[in-house]
């Protein structure tokens, strides 16, 4: 029998994971409960997804076999203070808190706690997340089961988590931004908002599916699309001349550094 998973936090990411879990039907709504300091938010998620909303952290600790921490990193101390008094045995914890290492979770919620750190992304909503996991071997198997309902899972050492957060956890935003820019350009050339959206989203979807199914790597696929003297080459020449690769590298570095700052703050 599957354990009961208790979500601490009912924000976008927590909801995305729940939706993924339910869509694959590996977990039933009766096996998922949600607690949030904003009780109305937990109740709203419960109504929408038919899971249980709990009013008090004590109820959550008593009901859930595994707690999935889905709060903002800066709220860890507040969350730990609310939960810790009710642990009768060392808890089983899965954390998706960006920038928060396992040692920080254990420091606040018990050195004997079984802890897995995970970094999914918002594509969990449609079962297409890429989630990195690491941590206690007693809990890794269940964590893998949870996150495989939301997409693919990679088991990685914790020292890579700042980078995986920057590249994959934050990654959907970069692709959304590129689609956003493509839509702006389409509208500039007279396309309706609906037409601009279809062009941008379907092109991104097609490129992603092609990259997934092809034997070639993305660089090789890019070169296949880029005919000598053609329109694609003209566009890419501007991107390279304006140092787009360096700009993107700087952006990832900034995300990595922010993760390290969050780690120091907890």
């Amino acid at each position: 029998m599957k354990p009961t998973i208790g979500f601490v936090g009912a924000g976008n990411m927590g909801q995305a994971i729940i939706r993924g879990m339910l869509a694959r039907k590996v977990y039933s709504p009766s096996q998922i409960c949600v607690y949030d300091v904003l009780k109305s938010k937990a109740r709203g998620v419960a109504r929408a997804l038919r899971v249980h909303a709990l009013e008090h952290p004590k109820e959550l600790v008593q009901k859930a076999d595994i707690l999935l921490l889905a709060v903002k990193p800066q709220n860890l101390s507040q969350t730990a203070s609310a939960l810790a008094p009710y642990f009768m045995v060392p808890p089983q914890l899965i954390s998706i808190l960006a920038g928060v290492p396992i040692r920080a979770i254990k420091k606040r919620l018990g050195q004997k706690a079984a802890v897995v750190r995970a970094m999914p992304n918002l594509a969990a909503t449609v079962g297409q997340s890429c989630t990195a996991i690491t941590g206690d071997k007693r809990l890794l198997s269940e964590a893998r089961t949870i996150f495989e309902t939301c997409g693919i899972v990679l088991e990685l050492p914790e020292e890579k988590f700042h980078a995986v957060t920057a590249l994959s956890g934050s990654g959907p935003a970069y692709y959304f931004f590129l689609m956003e820019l493509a839509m702006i350009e389409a509208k500039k050339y007279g396309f309706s908002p609906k037409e601009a959206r279809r062009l941008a989203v379907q092109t991104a979807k097609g490129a992603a599916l092609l990259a997934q199914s092809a034997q070639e790597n993305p660089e090789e696929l890019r070169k296949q699309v880029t005919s000598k003297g053609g329109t694609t080459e003209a566009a890419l020449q501007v991107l390279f001349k304006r140092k787009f690769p360096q700009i993107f590298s700087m952006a990832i570095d900034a995300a990595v550094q922010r993760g390290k700052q969050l780690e120091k703050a907890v």
Side-chain angles (χ1 to χ4, degrees), residues 173-243:
Y174 315 146
Y175 294 97
F176 294 150
F177 187 41
L178 186 58
M179 285 186 271
E180 179 185 347
L181 295 178
M183 288 177 63
I184 290 171
E185 292 305 305
K187 292 173 188 175
K188 183 178 78 176
Y189 284 100
F191 292 91
S192 70
K194 183 177 180 180
E195 291 168 338
R197 178 185 170 88
R198 293 190 71 182
L199 279 169
V201 174
Q202 183 61 33
T203 302
K205 178 182 177 181
L209 290 174
L210 181 57
Q212 183 181 56
S213 63
Q215 295 296 317
E216 300 90 343
N217 64 39
E219 180 184 6
E220 292 167 329
L221 292 172
R222 170 177 60 79
K223 289 178 179 178
Q224 287 179 15
V225 181
T226 310
S227 301
K228 187 69 176 176
T231 57
T232 307
E233 183 184 63
L236 289 172
Q237 282 178 346
V238 174
L239 293 177
F240 281 111
K241 184 177 180 180
R242 298 292 183 178
K243 302 188 183 302

